[in-house]
Amino acid sequence: MLTTHPFDDDKLREECGIFGVYGAETASAMVALGLHALQHRGQEAAGITSWDGEEFHTHRAMGHVAGNFDNDEIIRQLAGDIACGHVRYSTTGETALRNVQPLYADLSSGGFAISHNGNISNATNLRRRLVREGAIFQSTSDTEVIIHLLARSRYRTLLDRFIDALKQVEGAYSLICLTPEGMIACRDPLGIRPLVMGRLGDAIIFASETVAFDVVGAEYIRSVEPGELIVVTQGCEIRSHRPFGESVRPRPCIFEHVYFSRPDSVLDGNSVYAVRKGIGAQLALESPVEADLVIPVPDSGVPAAIGYSQQSGIPFELGIIRSHYIGRTFIQPGDKVRHLGVKLKHNANRALIDGKKIVLIDDSIVRGTTSLKIVQMMREAGAKEVHMRIASPPTRHSCFYGVDTPERGKLLAHKMDVAQMAAYIHADSLAFVSIDGLYRAIGETMRDDDSPQYCDACFTGDYPTTLTDFDDMAEINQLELLHERVV
């Protein structure tokens, strides 16, 4: 099957996007619109849960928001002025309806629905403990661990039980939860995954990105702070809690600026589009090259390519044309047809490229398969020279915080140095923006090695939290390797 982005088998993918509304007459319809705006964060499945003051209503489905939530009857069934939703790309748990969020459970305090962006890095250990204690899981999602911890907490109030549950989990999470008492929105103490708060009339809205506010006409208020827990109750009363203290320096995900967030979003006070142009300008300063054209790899390479062009003075041109009309069900019966299928989605602008020295700008290199195909496409279109510039440092390490990253051994930059990577993709030259250059584009002077301002573990290997599950796996793998050598 040809996916929506045939080159994107070589892209890092976000796990999901979340959106919640409290106090709007058509809450579920507004959530559906918000999820449309966040569709880029997850295309596997979507779900919405609402609360009408007496009971919860849920609809979850595989596939895109469009086609599942553009039905008036479905929206009418999701009654109530409070609702939350989720778009999913799985990093943990199988691709199945039982893992589609919001997840819902009937607790002693009443119904509880949860939407989660991120990844709990000790979920496997917690799950084993909970199962030994008698818990019965209904999904394979790491998010369900939070529900069971909440249900088993001995604290009296729902809020205290929820906080007790969160204090037992590691990793990254931005959450929107529905309860009979109101809506809860929170962010992990390091703020790894994003979450913002807005207002539309009297309604309070939470979303993964500000672009979702633009779509529904809401006003952006501020980001939910790292480690902050916000409770919205009757009358849209807002209460902010700091259950984790304020001693930890935040480490938001730097790749949100590079690729994940939509360019028309504002992240941590910065225009994502402006940051990406700035990264391109840094690339031009750090890795200049004599060329005739600067060409973006669509669509994510466009802002950085504009920045590179403006800084270098080399003309910007659309040398790769992308078709937006290829669906997700194009059948590929063999390798030859599969290769032709890629050309249906992206095709070289041959008349522009023939005989030219070109600079290709892309956001990242993961396995290297995408870059290899693109360079080959440019050669076949007659490019005289093909130079590749990447708007992020080399991706040498796996992410464990809600991004679907290949295991480290499959990352091209883990296996090769830059010169070897250039030879592998058949480029005349290859260069990446430096880690300090990336920080400068975001507004920092450079990376603070003693206390980094962002989570940049995929580039540096500097993980900001413990990785209980994955450390255990590493120990098991080491034991297996030792066993193999002894045998």
Side-chain angles (χ1 to χ4, degrees), residues 273 277-278 280-281 284 294 303-316:
Y273 177 77
K277 281 183 63 179
V294 174
I306 293 172
Y308 193 101
S309 171
Q310 291 176 349
Q311 180 64 44
S312 66
I314 302 171
F316 169 95

Side-chain angles (χ1 to χ4, degrees), residues 159 181-185 229-233 237-241:
L159 183 59
E181 300 175 16
M183 177 173 284
I184 303 172
L229 187 152
I230 296 175
V231 180
V232 186
T233 53
E237 179 185 348
I238 300 172
R239 288 176 290 144
S240 174
H241 302 265

